[in-house]
Amino acid sequence: MAKKKRKPKKLLFVILIVLIAVAALAIYKVFFTKEEVKEVKVIGKIPKYGYVLKETKTAKYKAMFNELKEILEADKVDEEAYAKKITEMFIYDFYSLKDKVAKTDVGGTDFVYSEVLENFMLNAEDTYYKYIESNIYNNRKQSLPEVNDITISSVEQKPFKYKNVTDDKAYYVSVSWDYKGSEFTDYQNKAELIFVHDGIKLVLVELQ
């Protein structure tokens, strides 16, 4: 007499339970959990001017921030020294890509005029920052530039007017710089920055 084949009901039941558990876990992670985002601490401030220093900045940038703080908290602010220092800080922060997490992590934005900031960032993301690989998990292998020495060759005060921005004593700062490592010699290494007055602050309106 032939034996009746037994249906593997128990095995199918176990597999079904496992699949349901996996699906439930996936749905829970998608809809009910959020990835923990580490809050970046502010470790320095120049309250009167609205500048802040975040812990993620490099040691070189932190040193420049402290120098800026000394300039702006003096009894009488040396405005030319102010213009020079924020030029150095902008060049270092904007053109150094090594410490940037992604292409949206645009440097130097603290010094850009608020009315042009959005266009400035979009342009940066589409050009100089376009090919930065994400480093969210600190595993990036991409070689990226870091600004080394910065030299300011001239500072002039003269009128500036563009659309609704007018300043009879705007600062025109000519600057050059180099990078750490010989592989970045073809990168941009000179520019003219134009700063206008926005109350007591100097803000960048044009980068040439």
Side-chain angles (χ1 to χ4, degrees):
M1 183 181 292
K3 292 182 179 179
K4 290 183 179 180
K5 292 182 179 179
R6 295 181 179 178
K7 294 181 180 180
K9 291 183 178 180
K10 189 174 181 180
L11 179 59
L12 289 173
F13 179 75
V14 171
I15 293 173
L16 183 61
I17 292 298
V18 170
L19 290 174
I20 292 172
V22 170
L25 180 61
I27 292 170
Y28 178 81
K29 285 186 175 180
V30 170
F31 293 102
F32 298 102
T33 64
K34 293 182 179 179
E35 185 178 347
E36 185 179 348
V37 178
K38 184 181 178 182
E39 184 179 352
V40 178
K41 291 182 181 178
V42 172
I43 59 174
K45 293 181 180 181
I46 309 176
K48 192 174 180 180
Y49 289 79
Y51 297 125
V52 296
L53 176 64
K54 296 178 180 178
E55 64 176 348
T56 51
K57 294 297 185 183
T58 66
K60 185 171 182 175
Y61 187 89
K62 290 174 182 176
M64 288 191 285
F65 184 91
N66 290 331
E67 291 166 357
L68 176 64
K69 189 173 183 178
E70 287 184 14
I71 293 169
L72 297 181
E73 292 185 349
D75 292 336
K76 184 177 181 180
V77 174
D78 183 337
E79 200 169 67
E80 183 173 319
Y82 174 22
K84 287 181 177 179
K85 187 53 59 180
I86 59 176
T87 295
E88 292 175 359
M89 294 173 74
F90 174 84
I91 293 299
Y92 180 81
D93 199 26
F94 181 78
Y95 289 99
S96 292
L97 302 182
K98 188 176 180 180
D99 63 325
K100 305 303 185 290
V101 176
K103 77 170 191 175
T104 54
D105 187 16
V106 178
T109 56
D110 288 349
F111 309 106
V112 178
Y113 182 42
S114 59
E115 297 296 321
V116 300
L117 180 58
E118 184 177 354
N119 286 336
F120 171 81
M121 291 189 67
L122 288 173
N123 184 61
E125 290 170 22
D126 287 340
T127 55
Y128 190 65
Y129 281 68
K130 185 173 183 177
Y131 299 105
I132 296 179
E133 297 172 3
S134 174
N135 195 34
I136 294 174
Y137 301 108
N138 293 315
N139 58 356
R140 182 172 61 201
K141 305 298 182 183
Q142 186 181 20
S143 181
L144 293 169
E146 181 181 0
V147 172
N148 188 26
D149 292 324
I150 302 169
T151 303
I152 293 175
S153 54
S154 67
V155 180
E156 293 183 79
Q157 271 192 287
K158 52 187 179 181
F160 175 85
K161 184 175 182 179
Y162 180 74
K163 293 185 178 179
N164 62 332
V165 180
T166 303
D167 190 343
D168 292 334
K169 294 184 177 181
Y171 282 91
Y172 290 69
V173 186
S174 295
V175 58
S176 61
W177 62 94
D178 61 13
Y179 299 92
K180 293 182 179 179
S182 59
E183 61 187 304
F184 304 111
T185 53
D186 291 335
Y187 280 60
Q188 182 178 350
N189 62 2
K190 61 177 64 176
E192 182 178 62
L193 282 64
I194 303 176
F195 296 94
V196 298
H197 294 84
D198 183 17
I200 62 172
K201 289 182 70 173
L202 292 175
V203 290
L204 180 65
V205 290
E206 200 166 300
L207 172 64
Q208 301 176 344

